[in-house]
Amino acid sequence: MISSDFSTLARVLIDLSDRPALYWASVCGLHPSNVSNWLRGRETLSEENQARLLKTLSLFPDTLKLDPARIHVWIVTLHKPETLKDAVEAFLEPPLEMAIVAPDPDGPSLLSQAPQVALLKAGQIRIVLLRKLFPAKMTETPLSQKAGTPWIRPSLIPGARWKASDISPEEDAPPIPVPGPFLFDLVMGNISLEQFDFFFESATPWEWKDVEALARSSGLTAKEVADLIKGIKPRKTR
């Protein structure tokens, strides 16, 4: 369990922002070395400066609660899930519900490399989870991975489950198709609470239309999908 030490809480939120302490120090008008040393426990900051930094990170210093009036965007490093787990334990209360978001399959083809996004909701706290991608090879880019594919499950997050409650936290849920402009607004956190809730509430269990859309995006036919369900491997084409 994460401690209630202000510097520890600030460090977790800074890590999830994927921006260096230098950036947040500049935003707050504080000396970067003072903030960096405070985050490492090497020196202290005045209570006023601590409160200023925490408020900038959308954390109320008097209650240690996240601001429920805004959309929070967290960058998730999947090979280092401890930061996400610490943040969930420190700032969120169950029940936690999650949904996967993907570009609308009927939208522009240029969105095929859109960022991978998940929505997380705990009470009045709304969070957009983005996957931090790392190239597997020097010749690849972080966007070379297929967009919209399930990349995170509730089983990774303490106390979380899918919004579509019929699906096990250990399994992949169908993505919510979101029009391109709204998808990138989600990524930037530039979306209203009402819009977030609209997309979040549209998460449903698997339906054949979802299977059809996923099959089409994967280059499979309806018969091949049916064969896969029956346990028959599709034939390889030359």
Side-chain angles (χ1 to χ4, degrees):
M1 184 71 176
I2 196 170
S3 74
S4 59
D5 180 71
F6 281 11
S7 64
T8 304
L9 297 175
R11 186 165 61 249
V12 168
L13 291 176
I14 289 174
D15 287 345
L16 288 171
S17 75
D18 201 33
R19 287 177 170 172
L22 171 62
Y23 169 84
W24 294 107
S26 300
V27 170
C28 296
L30 304 176
H31 197 286
S33 63
N34 291 343
V35 172
S36 179
N37 288 332
W38 175 68
L39 291 172
R40 292 182 173 88
R42 296 176 180 174
E43 65 179 59
T44 61
L45 282 180
S46 67
E47 291 186 3
E48 178 183 357
N49 287 338
Q50 289 185 44
R52 185 188 308 176
L53 180 59
L54 292 177
K55 288 179 181 178
T56 303
L57 293 168
S58 299
L59 184 70
F60 297 132
D62 52 340
T63 62
L64 297 183
K65 301 287 186 181
L66 292 173
D67 184 357
R70 57 155 297 183
I71 305 296
H72 302 267
V73 179
W74 289 355
I75 314 296
V76 180
T77 306
L78 290 184
H79 72 271
K80 185 182 176 184
E82 294 79 12
T83 302
L84 176 60
K85 293 178 180 179
D86 285 346
V88 168
E89 292 179 355
F91 307 123
L92 305 181
E93 297 179 0
L96 281 68
E97 297 180 319
M98 194 172 81
I100 288 286
V101 171
D104 189 332
D106 296 326
S109 59
L110 61 86
L111 294 178
S112 61
Q113 297 296 340
Q116 297 183 343
V117 182
L119 307 181
L120 181 65
K121 189 174 182 182
Q124 297 302 309
I125 305 301
R126 300 163 178 84
I127 300 170
V128 175
L129 301 177
L130 303 180
R131 180 181 182 181
K132 183 173 182 178
L133 300 178
F134 293 89
K137 301 177 181 178
M138 293 300 293
T139 56
E140 296 178 353
T141 68
L143 294 180
S144 63
Q145 298 193 30
K146 187 175 180 180
T149 56
W151 57 278
I152 189 171
R153 295 172 175 170
S155 55
L156 182 66
I157 303 173
R161 66 174 179 84
W162 291 116
K163 172 61 179 174
S165 57
D166 292 344
I167 303 174
S168 167
E170 301 285 347
E171 299 176 354
D172 293 331
I176 305 169
V178 175
F182 288 108
L183 180 61
F184 285 103
D185 283 341
L186 274 172
V187 170
M188 300 302 296
N190 297 329
I191 197 166
S192 70
L193 303 182
E194 292 76 17
Q195 289 171 324
F196 181 101
D197 289 344
F198 173 80
F199 292 123
F200 191 79
E201 294 299 326
S202 67
T204 58
W206 284 104
E207 295 180 2
W208 280 110
K209 64 180 181 180
D210 299 314
V211 176
E212 182 182 2
L214 288 173
R216 185 169 64 250
S217 66
S218 301
L220 298 173
T221 65
K223 183 180 183 304
E224 288 172 331
V225 173
D227 288 343
L228 287 172
I229 293 174
K230 295 176 184 178
I232 303 173
K233 295 182 179 181
R235 296 178 179 178
K236 294 182 179 180
T237 58
R238 294 182 180 179

